[in-house]
Amino acid sequence: MDAKRELLAVLSTDARESVTDLSRQLDLDPETVEELIDELEADGVIHGYQAVIDWDSINDSHVSAFVELNVELDRETGYEEIADRIVKFPTVQSLRLVSGDYDFAIEVTGESMQDVSRFISEQIAPIPEVTQTVTHFIMDTYKDGGMEFGDRDRDDRLSVSP
Amino acid sequence: MRIAERVRSVPESGIRKFFELAEERDDVISLGVGEPDFSAPWAARTAAIDSLERGRTSYTSNRGKRELREYIAADVARWGLEYSPDEEILVTTGASEAVDLALRAFVDPGDTVAVHEPSYISYVPGVRFAGGEPLGVPTYAADDFKLTVDSLQKSGAGDAEVLILCYPNNPTGAVMTERELSAVADFCVDNDITVIADEIYAALTYGREHVSIATLPGMRERTIVINGFSKAFAMTGLRLGYAMGPPEGIDAMNRVHQYTMLSAPTTAQFAAIEALRSCGDAVEEMRSAYNRRRRFVLSRFSEMGLDCFEARGAFYAFPEPGGDDEAFAEELLESQGVAVVPGSVFGEGGRGHLRVSYATGMRDLKEAMNRMETFLDDR
Ligand SMILES: Cc1ncc(COP(=O)(O)O)c(C=O)c1O
């Protein structure tokens, strides 16, 4: 694995690793690690660093939904143009063009189901190219960002073994 | 009850004492564990569950499921090893059983079995249980714990009937290159020595691919290669390993196996088939994680001024704090709650060293290194 890929592999599981610890794990100078990270950020490979949060466990009012979106393209408007419009809403957490029965998969969050529904009907559905939306409210999350939300595996190994 | 001399002559393992000390407290971070901290890949686990649901709970053939032996033959080809699934591969209950079978099959009472030290703690007792005489052959920090012909000669290993060879090594993490192994191979050919090569850590090397001594000239016909699923696939509790060698050697081992074990655990064999079929990526991911931890630990040791050669295999580092390793390990456990295994537990050659296992999550590893640093500063 080249250094960049390995750096990404580590950061994708723990973005809080310090430059010093990264340099120890990857056998690189701290300066090199800094440079690589700067490069990855400048090149738009790394867009940011976030915590993986189980909102349900802090009893906050936090509602998310997946929305399927069908659109009809015309001569002037392509997927890019439609996407550009949708990504600007802060309520939209992710937007992807997908294969299959619908065109876009959107993830939106709000403080209540009403909030989310209103956003879809007032901001997304009226977009001229949008022909249909199907909203799936998320009932429970078991895994996100590669992390399981259930009980952690217990380490039941003997504390000292041959 | 009268206990046989063979058993009485073998003392309790030195690891036991540290296990008991570590178990007494609950704030211990253990770097004393000789098995992966990962669980077996999920696909392998579900294959085991499926087999149970389908009621596959009978014995398999003595040598193990034919499909598994085929997968094993295909897998070891990456190290240039070629063995026939029908005649040259035996599936066993862990590499442990394979080592025991080999000793019983190739050692007559009074035969000398050379064991390089430091090494895995089961070899010397295994030799004794088989009625053989263990002969310690030291390896040295100055040679990065590689086995040299010089040491074999000086120890009188030329007269040995059998040599147990374990690289990548537990407890040192040492590996040997083809050139270094060639010298040992020539020594074995010249002195007509049978080699039991425990290569259970073969998949866990960092930087260079593993080389098996069985691939060197004149060695295939005198070598039993042992490997298993415990380390590479994190399947220790499933108890599955295997032995490979010329037909007459595997026949002899199977003779013992068919009477004492019948067959290796069936559920584990289903898991192992799936492991070899689809879990290569999981192994690669674990290996990369071990490698990062290895580099982390080695660089922390160098920052604390703790001598340590660059171990390139298994998941152990073998630093040398000097002085009495047992006292060091005991004090470290007592004052900082970090468990390691004193090197002398693994034989004379390990004296003055510590076995530090990095089969532990990064978070604990960081904390353990900080505690070790504090301990060294306070001394
Ligand atoms: C060098 C060596 N050989 C054999 C074994 C035993 O392996 P298994 O679980 O396959 O019996 C171990 C386990 O610690 C080991 O370190």
Side-chain angles (χ1 to χ4, degrees):
Chain A
M1 226 189 299
D2 67 20
K4 261 189 194 170
R5 272 173 211 290
E6 191 156 25
L7 183 57
L8 288 172
V10 180
L11 289 176
S12 69
T13 54
D14 186 357
R16 292 185 71 205
E17 289 281 8
S18 67
V19 168
T20 318
D21 281 337
L22 287 169
S23 77
R24 288 167 175 149
Q25 292 178 57
L26 305 182
D27 204 12
L28 298 168
D29 302 330
E31 298 76 41
T32 312
V33 172
E34 301 236 33
E35 272 167 35
L36 286 175
I37 292 179
D38 288 348
E39 242 174 80
L40 287 164
E41 289 175 354
D43 294 350
V45 179
I46 294 179
H47 283 276
Y49 306 86
Q50 287 185 326
V52 179
I53 299 169
D54 181 1
W55 290 103
D56 290 344
S57 72
I58 58 166
N59 262 335
D60 222 15
S61 43
H62 186 99
V63 173
S64 326
F66 277 113
V67 183
E68 303 173 3
L69 209 66
N70 274 303
V71 297
E72 206 168 68
L73 304 181
D74 58 37
R75 220 170 287 144
E76 281 93 62
T77 330
Y79 288 123
E80 291 285 331
E81 282 75 24
I82 301 170
D84 281 349
R85 259 184 93 160
I86 297 174
V87 291
K88 295 288 190 287
F89 294 105
T91 314
V92 172
Q93 295 301 304
S94 70
L95 172 65
R96 295 184 170 87
L97 183 65
V98 297
S99 61
D101 288 343
Y102 52 98
D103 300 306
F104 286 108
I106 316 183
E107 193 186 351
V108 293
T109 57
E111 288 193 353
S112 64
M113 285 171 81
Q114 223 181 0
D115 235 26
V116 171
S117 311
R118 198 178 310 122
F119 172 74
I120 299 300
S121 60
E122 291 176 4
Q123 307 293 343
I124 302 296
I127 297 174
E129 293 79 12
V130 170
T131 55
Q132 195 193 14
T133 68
V134 180
T135 304
H136 304 274
F137 283 102
I138 291 167
M139 321 284 286
D140 207 346
T141 303
Y142 305 100
K143 187 175 183 179
D144 194 17
M147 318 265 167
E148 287 175 50
F149 285 2
D151 294 336
R152 282 161 195 257
D153 281 347
R154 218 181 53 231
D155 186 351
D156 48 10
R157 296 177 298 163
L158 298 177
S159 55
V160 179
S161 60
Chain B
M1 196 176 274
R2 201 188 69 83
I3 308 297
E5 167 56 24
R6 248 187 356 272
V7 175
R8 270 186 292 142
S9 74
V10 174
E12 270 248 330
S13 131
I15 272 189
R16 183 83 211 163
K17 177 173 148 195
F18 277 84
F19 169 68
E20 273 154 17
L21 287 174
E23 288 289 292
E24 278 170 17
R25 26 195 304 187
D26 51 13
D27 61 340
V28 170
I29 299 180
S30 183
L31 308 182
V33 189
E35 61 176 320
D37 56 314
F38 301 101
S39 295
W42 180 242
R45 285 189 266 162
T46 53
I49 296 166
D50 285 350
S51 76
L52 289 172
E53 283 183 345
R54 283 182 286 122
R56 304 294 188 80
T57 54
S58 38
Y59 297 126
T60 67
S61 79
N62 292 141
R63 288 170 189 255
K65 287 178 70 61
R66 158 94 208 192
E67 188 185 5
L68 175 56
R69 283 179 276 136
E70 281 170 10
Y71 271 112
I72 290 170
D75 186 52
V76 299
R78 64 178 148 147
W79 296 303
L81 294 168
E82 280 175 37
Y83 290 101
S84 133
D86 287 325
E87 299 184 308
E88 299 181 315
I89 298 179
L90 176 65
V91 178
T92 56
T93 305
S96 302
E97 192 213 353
V99 171
D100 183 49
L101 293 177
L103 289 169
R104 289 205 259 172
F106 308 123
V107 177
D108 273 322
D111 278 0
T112 299
V113 179
V115 179
H116 56 86
E117 289 181 346
S119 68
Y120 182 50
I121 60 168
S122 297
Y123 302 144
V124 168
V127 170
R128 291 212 190 278
F129 295 147
E133 288 296 329
L135 173 73
V137 179
T139 59
Y140 301 98
D143 302 320
D144 286 357
F145 292 102
K146 296 164 195 271
L147 177 61
T148 62
V149 169
D150 188 48
S151 186
L152 283 163
Q153 267 160 351
K154 284 196 179 122
S155 315
D159 295 330
E161 275 73 26
V162 173
L163 165 69
I164 302 182
L165 187 75
C166 175
Y167 288 94
N169 182 260
N170 176 4
T172 61
V175 296
M176 285 179 70
T177 63
E178 178 162 352
R179 195 160 49 83
E180 291 153 353
L181 280 172
S182 287
V184 174
D186 291 346
F187 180 86
C188 293
V189 172
D190 292 346
N191 293 285
D192 195 19
I193 295 171
T194 299
V195 174
I196 300 173
D198 180 350
E199 301 184 356
I200 186 128
Y201 293 102
L204 301 178
T205 62
Y206 313 104
R208 248 186 244 112
E209 270 291 320
H210 168 72
V211 180
S212 174
I213 195 166
T215 59
L216 302 178
M219 291 309 294
R220 190 186 196 278
E221 60 266 35
R222 61 177 65 252
T223 305
I224 294 291
V225 177
I226 291 170
N227 204 330
F229 295 87
S230 286
K231 314 292 172 169
F233 292 95
M235 282 174 38
T236 43
L238 277 87
R239 312 303 307 122
L240 207 68
Y242 52 92
M244 302 173 291
E248 69 277 16
I250 292 298
D251 276 349
M253 288 169 65
N254 188 35
R255 189 88 51 85
V256 182
H257 174 78
Q258 73 186 185
Y259 288 118
T260 56
M261 190 63 68
L262 293 183
S263 63
T266 301
T267 311
Q269 293 190 48
F270 280 101
I273 289 170
E274 187 58 28
L276 289 175
R277 202 182 67 76
S278 77
C279 301
D281 289 351
V283 174
E284 186 45 35
E285 241 169 72
M286 292 190 271
R287 201 188 62 85
S288 307
Y290 290 136
N291 193 19
R292 289 194 288 271
R293 298 165 182 185
R294 179 186 71 95
R295 294 190 292 219
F296 175 78
V297 165
L298 291 175
S299 90
R300 291 296 280 117
F301 285 162
S302 113
E303 289 161 23
M304 339 175 175
L306 187 55
D307 272 351
C308 190
F309 82 103
E310 184 173 2
R312 289 181 175 277
F315 33 63
Y316 308 109
F318 206 59
E320 182 176 14
D324 183 344
D325 54 312
E326 225 175 282
F328 185 100
E330 251 174 79
E331 285 163 30
L332 177 64
L333 181 55
E334 205 158 285
S335 77
Q336 294 293 333
V338 174
V340 298
V341 182
S344 51
V345 161
F346 302 95
E348 262 318 299
R351 208 163 276 291
H353 291 74
L354 306 170
R355 189 191 72 175
V356 173
S357 160
Y358 47 84
T360 300
M362 208 50 211
R363 186 180 300 232
D364 277 351
L365 216 45
K366 285 180 188 173
E367 173 62 19
M369 289 300 120
N370 291 344
R371 293 188 194 179
M372 274 183 90
E373 189 162 38
T374 309
F375 180 73
L376 286 168
D377 288 347
D378 291 351
R379 261 157 69 93

